[in-house]
Amino acid sequence: MKKYLQIYHDLLTNIQTKKFKEGDLLPSDTKLVMKYDVSRETVRRAIKLLFDEGYIQTIRGKGSIILNSDRIMFPFSRIESYKELVTTSHLHSENKVISMQEHVDVPQNLLFGAPSMTTQLVVRKRIVNDIPMVIDYDYINEAVVANVPKQAALNSLFYYFEHDLGLKINYAIKHITVEPADYDDLHYLEIDRHVPIVVVRSETRLSDNRIISYTESRHRADKFSSVEFARRHE
Amino acid sequence: MKKYLQIYHDLLTNIQTKKFKEGDLLPSDTKLVMKYDVSRETVRRAIKLLFDEGYIQTIRGKGSIILNSDRIMFPFSRIESYKELVTTSHLHSENKVISMQEHVDVPQNLLFGAPSMTTQLVVRKRIVNDIPMVIDYDYINEAVVANVPKQAALNSLFYYFEHDLGLKINYAIKHITVEPADYDDLHYLEIDRHVPIVVVRSETRLSDNRIISYTESRHRADKFSSVEFARRHE
DNA sequence: TTAAAAAACTTGTCTAGTTTAGTTTCTTAG
DNA sequence: CTAAGAAACTAAACTAGACAAGTTTTTTAA
């Protein structure tokens, strides 16, 4: 395990379990250097990660203040935020596979000009506390993943890609719009036609920059909520 | 000027002006070290920034691939994305001040449990290409900023805070929901009642962690669009 | 007692190296 | 000509220092 990630996770756990309280100062670089027996740069990498993700606020000459992290839990600027949301908030969640189909072309409006590819289409419905919340259309690149078993779709596609296939997912670009509900939305989400839909269209890539999937997630807007943390650079 | 920021801006300019083309490799660390006559760590800081913001994809052993940066231009996970959007896309934009009022309490739903404060409320309307797009309710902390002149509200509050007052804006937390239009939305945005509103409620802080403002931005959802870049950490 | 100066902290930036792990290119043996 | 191996490259992680620029605490002088 990389040292700086070890330190990062260690500190993060202390923040999330409130061992380090909001408003308090994190141990200084020097103390962390002594505690973990690493160089200062390594400590600073861990600190930088916490800073970038909005867990702390560093002030020169003073220290690193711990921020309220309860509020920065459910951004969609995280890949697969949905699974995280469900596990961290102890909701009862269910995945239903609506359909699976091989050798499908990716729709033009998902590609944003990129060249097309043959994919396996997985359509799923996510139900939280017995309320249908999201319909996901996943177009999985067949050049990368041969054939997704139904069990993987029921559980988590990302988990299957990373743990079972050993693929490294690296980043995603997400386009967010609000659109009227279409026929399938009405049907699968069991809403009436004046409920708008938050549509998140994304392209996901591996660490070698190959595209693994295109996804269209359709959330019922009345139940939709997201929190973003934005830091300013000079 | 900090060296790593200098290098960062230099490289970014080359990417944005397409001098470095999509799919090409950035000059290697060693070459950049020679070009800018700095240490490798300094080069790597600049590279890291580009990486974090989604401009490049680094692959160990290979190099740093330049990604398509046209698509990662308009996220709301940037503070004051609106001004950026307008300037980079050469739209004709106008700011109208609807009202200004001193000694106002911040509404409960904007505070998220934080203690209240006295603020100056500035209500504005943003018009792009003659279409009213957003209503902004800015509650500006009177303990930080004495009295905002109307001219600053007409131009840009952030510009006024940073350039005229020398304040350093550091980060913001943004809550995004979709809600039905209220009476003021219908009136000021000139829409009818079935157009939903994307509501972005945010808290903005300075680099010393003081709150400078709470903002509620109400966008007409049919014209709303955002792009988020999400990188995965282990 | 008070106020100024000094010391001891803090984070931020930077240097100059090493080792590790991965990719690409060239060379060499068959 | 081909395939295997070596060499030359690439980024990633880490070390051990330096000095700068702030804040806080302690000491000193009036």
Side-chain angles (χ1 to χ4, degrees):
Chain A
M1 172 64 119
K2 290 163 200 165
K3 291 184 185 177
Y4 79 96
L5 283 178
Q6 177 58 53
I7 298 168
Y8 162 77
H9 282 118
D10 219 44
L11 294 172
L12 184 54
T13 304
N14 281 329
I15 291 170
Q16 283 175 335
T17 60
K18 313 278 178 190
K19 216 165 160 183
F20 293 159
K21 291 184 192 86
E22 184 189 343
D24 283 2
L25 294 178
L26 222 58
S28 71
D29 290 6
T30 323
K31 279 178 192 153
L32 293 173
V33 163
M34 289 190 292
K35 178 172 179 190
Y36 293 102
D37 190 31
V38 292
S39 73
R40 178 143 175 256
E41 279 296 321
T42 303
V43 163
R44 288 188 68 57
R45 273 198 206 187
I47 299 283
K48 181 74 178 4
L49 256 182
L50 293 171
F51 175 86
D52 284 344
E53 292 175 355
Y55 292 107
I56 58 170
Q57 168 67 5
T58 58
I59 299 176
R60 183 200 279 239
K62 200 169 186 183
S64 303
I65 300 173
I66 289 144
L67 303 180
N68 181 339
S69 63
D70 295 342
R71 293 183 295 184
I72 50 168
M73 302 237 75
F74 315 130
F76 40 45
S77 72
R78 287 217 193 139
I79 303 179
E80 221 212 355
S81 58
Y82 208 84
K83 185 84 182 176
E84 277 188 76
L85 188 151
V86 167
T87 47
T88 53
S89 55
H90 312 291
L91 298 169
H92 174 256
S93 169
E94 213 183 328
N95 257 357
K96 273 198 180 153
V97 175
I98 295 171
S99 69
M100 291 179 79
Q101 195 185 342
E102 293 182 78
H103 318 310
V104 179
D105 281 324
V106 183
Q108 277 298 322
N109 63 347
L110 264 176
L111 286 170
F112 292 98
S116 191
M117 53 176 65
T118 9
T119 60
Q120 180 179 1
L121 170 61
V122 177
V123 184
R124 294 179 298 172
K125 180 170 152 179
R126 297 172 186 262
I127 300 160
V128 180
N129 286 347
D130 295 319
I131 301 167
M133 294 287 275
V134 192
I135 311 173
D136 277 336
Y137 299 82
D138 288 284
Y139 297 84
I140 300 146
N141 189 355
E142 290 180 343
V144 176
V145 178
N147 198 319
V148 178
K150 197 179 174 185
Q151 192 52 47
L154 276 169
N155 179 26
S156 162
L157 286 176
F158 273 58
Y159 189 90
Y160 173 68
F161 296 154
E162 296 208 302
H163 292 83
D164 298 347
L165 303 184
L167 297 169
K168 282 192 183 168
I169 284 139
N170 194 263
Y171 69 93
I173 298 171
K174 308 195 175 197
H175 294 244
I176 300 107
T177 54
V178 180
E179 303 178 12
D182 64 24
Y183 178 79
D184 284 339
D185 297 331
L186 303 185
H187 180 244
Y188 290 117
L189 296 178
E190 299 161 27
I191 51 175
D192 64 54
R193 71 183 188 290
H194 60 71
V195 175
I197 304 292
V198 175
V199 185
V200 181
R201 297 187 175 89
S202 59
E203 170 191 298
T204 307
R205 300 208 178 220
L206 301 174
S207 53
D208 59 8
N209 215 32
R210 281 183 300 168
I211 293 170
I212 183 164
S213 70
Y214 288 98
T215 300
E216 179 167 324
S217 288
R218 303 179 67 89
H219 305 243
R220 50 184 292 181
D222 57 342
K223 303 282 182 185
F224 179 85
S225 162
S226 177
V227 181
E228 295 290 326
F229 179 83
R231 209 175 268 287
R232 192 176 189 80
H233 311 106
E234 296 141 83
Chain B
M1 171 66 119
K2 292 162 198 165
K3 290 185 185 176
Y4 77 96
L5 282 178
Q6 176 58 53
I7 298 169
Y8 162 77
H9 282 118
D10 218 45
L11 294 173
L12 184 54
T13 304
N14 282 328
I15 291 169
Q16 284 175 336
T17 60
K18 314 278 179 189
K19 215 165 160 184
F20 294 157
K21 291 183 191 86
E22 184 188 342
D24 284 1
L25 294 177
L26 222 59
S28 73
D29 289 8
T30 323
K31 279 178 192 152
L32 293 173
V33 163
M34 288 190 293
K35 177 173 179 189
Y36 292 102
D37 190 32
V38 292
S39 74
R40 173 125 188 276
E41 278 296 320
T42 303
V43 163
R44 287 184 94 344
R45 273 197 204 187
I47 299 283
K48 183 71 179 3
L49 257 182
L50 293 171
F51 174 86
D52 284 345
E53 292 176 355
Y55 292 107
I56 59 171
Q57 168 66 4
T58 58
I59 300 176
R60 184 202 279 242
K62 198 172 185 180
S64 304
I65 300 173
I66 289 145
L67 303 179
N68 181 338
S69 62
D70 294 342
R71 293 184 294 185
I72 50 167
M73 301 236 78
F74 314 128
F76 42 42
S77 71
R78 287 216 194 140
I79 303 178
E80 219 213 357
S81 58
Y82 207 85
K83 185 83 182 177
E84 279 188 75
L85 188 151
V86 167
T87 46
T88 52
S89 56
H90 311 291
L91 298 169
H92 174 255
S93 170
E94 213 182 327
N95 257 359
K96 275 200 179 149
V97 176
I98 295 170
S99 69
M100 292 178 79
Q101 194 184 343
E102 292 182 78
H103 318 311
V104 179
D105 281 326
V106 183
Q108 276 298 321
N109 63 348
L110 264 176
L111 285 170
F112 293 98
S116 192
M117 52 175 65
T118 7
T119 60
Q120 180 179 2
L121 170 60
V122 177
V123 185
R124 294 179 299 171
K125 181 170 150 179
R126 296 173 187 260
I127 301 159
V128 179
N129 286 347
D130 294 320
I131 301 167
M133 294 287 275
V134 191
I135 311 174
D136 277 337
Y137 299 82
D138 288 284
Y139 296 84
I140 300 145
N141 189 354
E142 290 180 345
V144 176
V145 178
N147 198 320
V148 179
K150 197 178 175 186
Q151 191 53 48
L154 277 169
N155 178 28
S156 162
L157 285 176
F158 274 57
Y159 189 90
Y160 173 69
F161 295 155
E162 295 209 301
H163 291 82
D164 298 347
L165 303 183
L167 297 169
K168 282 193 183 167
I169 284 140
N170 194 262
Y171 69 93
I173 298 172
K174 307 196 174 196
H175 294 244
I176 299 108
T177 54
V178 180
E179 302 177 12
D182 65 22
Y183 178 79
D184 284 339
D185 296 331
L186 303 184
H187 180 244
Y188 291 118
L189 295 178
E190 299 161 28
I191 50 176
D192 63 54
R193 70 184 189 290
H194 59 71
V195 175
I197 303 292
V198 175
V199 184
V200 181
R201 296 188 175 87
S202 60
E203 171 190 297
T204 307
R205 300 213 178 214
L206 301 174
S207 53
D208 59 8
N209 216 32
R210 281 183 300 168
I211 294 170
I212 184 164
S213 68
Y214 288 98
T215 301
E216 180 168 323
S217 287
R218 303 178 67 89
H219 304 245
R220 50 183 293 181
D222 56 342
K223 303 282 181 185
F224 178 85
S225 163
S226 177
V227 181
E228 294 291 325
F229 179 83
R231 209 175 268 286
R232 193 176 188 80
H233 312 108
E234 293 140 84

